[in-house]
């Protein structure tokens, strides 16, 4: 029961912050959506900020685990599965954009705890993508290359693609960017070696 209450708070906080930003997130909405009283919240978290930081870290880690690390744990076809995930529009909410980028833009310059948390999350994002590329190299789907730089370029391009779709309101902008990104990654395929 206690773990369920905590999870409801995490889920409600994440959705509220994702939809309204940290500063616009209303504690009353979080508590109402979680079906939890304020006293119960304080049993788990000392304040809204700590609850928001925890929610962001846990939900983003969950997303990375489902979206990227699951691919790396597979038996092969790493790039195929990665590209399928990139093209899957159901995995993203272009109206709200990227939850990590939203918080970075809102909070990084005004709160050191958020700044530190977002740096850690971005590092894990890049690391998750790098692991996929490393696996692809190990099974010769990709030629040996600097997977650290390729992961940085890939995550940066994805963030830009999501922002472009959010700004225009057109998911095709995201897909067009992703196809260019995939074309670039494909240039590192083993079969492209001469």
């Amino acid at each position: 029961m206690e773990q369920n209450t905590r999870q409801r708070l995490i889920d409600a906080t994440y959705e509220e912050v994702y939809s309204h930003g940290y500063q616009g997130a209303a504690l009353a909405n979080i508590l109402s959506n979680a079906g939890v009283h304020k006293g119960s919240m304080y049993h788990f978290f000392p304040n809204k900020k700590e609850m928001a930081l925890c929610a962001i870290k846990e939900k983003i880690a969950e997303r990375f685990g489902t979206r990227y690390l699951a691919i790396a744990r597979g038996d092969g076809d790493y790039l195929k599965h990665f590209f399928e995930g990139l093209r899957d529009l159901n995995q993203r909410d272009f109206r709200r954009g990227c939850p990590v980028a939203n918080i970075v833009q809102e909070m990084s310059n005004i709160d050191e705890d958020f700044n530190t948390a977002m740096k850690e999350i971005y590092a894990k994002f890049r690391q998750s993508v790098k692991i996929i590329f490393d696996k692809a190299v190990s099974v010769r789907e990709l030629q040996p290359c600097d997977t650290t730089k390729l992961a940085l370029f890939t995550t940066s391009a994805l963030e830009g693609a999501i922002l472009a779709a959010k700004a225009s309101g057109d998911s095709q902008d995201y897909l067009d960017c992703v196809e260019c990104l995939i074309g670039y990654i494909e240039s590192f395929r083993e079969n492209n070696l001469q």
Side-chain angles (χ1 to χ4, degrees), residues 104-117:
V104 167
Q105 291 168 350
E106 177 190 9
M107 298 298 295
S108 287
N109 292 332
I110 60 176
D111 187 286
E112 189 54 38
D113 293 329
F114 275 96
N115 186 39
T116 300

Side-chain angles (χ1 to χ4, degrees), residues 45-139:
F45 305 101
N47 53 49
K48 173 187 161 187
K49 176 181 169 180
E50 292 304 317
M51 187 166 62
L53 284 168
C54 190
I56 291 164
K57 288 176 186 177
E58 288 184 24
K59 296 301 282 186
I60 296 297
E62 180 183 299
R63 288 175 74 165
F64 288 168
T66 301
R67 191 173 289 168
Y68 302 111
L69 294 179
I71 295 169
R73 290 185 198 110
D75 295 334
D77 288 326
Y78 299 108
L79 293 181
K80 175 182 176 243
H81 296 303
F82 183 57
F83 296 161
E84 286 170 355
L86 296 183
R87 290 175 172 133
D88 183 359
L89 296 182
N90 294 320
Q91 290 190 18
R92 288 163 183 82
D93 181 345
F94 298 111
R95 183 182 53 79
R96 295 191 292 178
C98 173
V100 180
N102 293 349
I103 292 294
V104 167
Q105 291 168 350
E106 177 190 9
M107 298 298 295
S108 287
N109 292 332
I110 60 176
D111 187 286
E112 189 54 38
D113 293 329
F114 275 96
N115 186 39
T116 300
M118 295 304 104
K119 284 180 181 175
E120 290 171 6
I121 288 170
Y122 263 113
K124 287 177 184 172
F125 180 23
R126 286 196 300 260
Q127 183 63 26
S128 299
V129 174
K130 181 186 183 311
I131 290 168
I132 293 170
F133 292 151
D134 288 340
K135 291 278 192 164
V137 168
S138 74
V139 298

Side-chain angles (χ1 to χ4, degrees), residues 9 27 31 39 143 146 161 184:
L9 281 166
L27 185 57
L31 297 174
Q143 60 184 290
D146 187 336
Y184 179 72

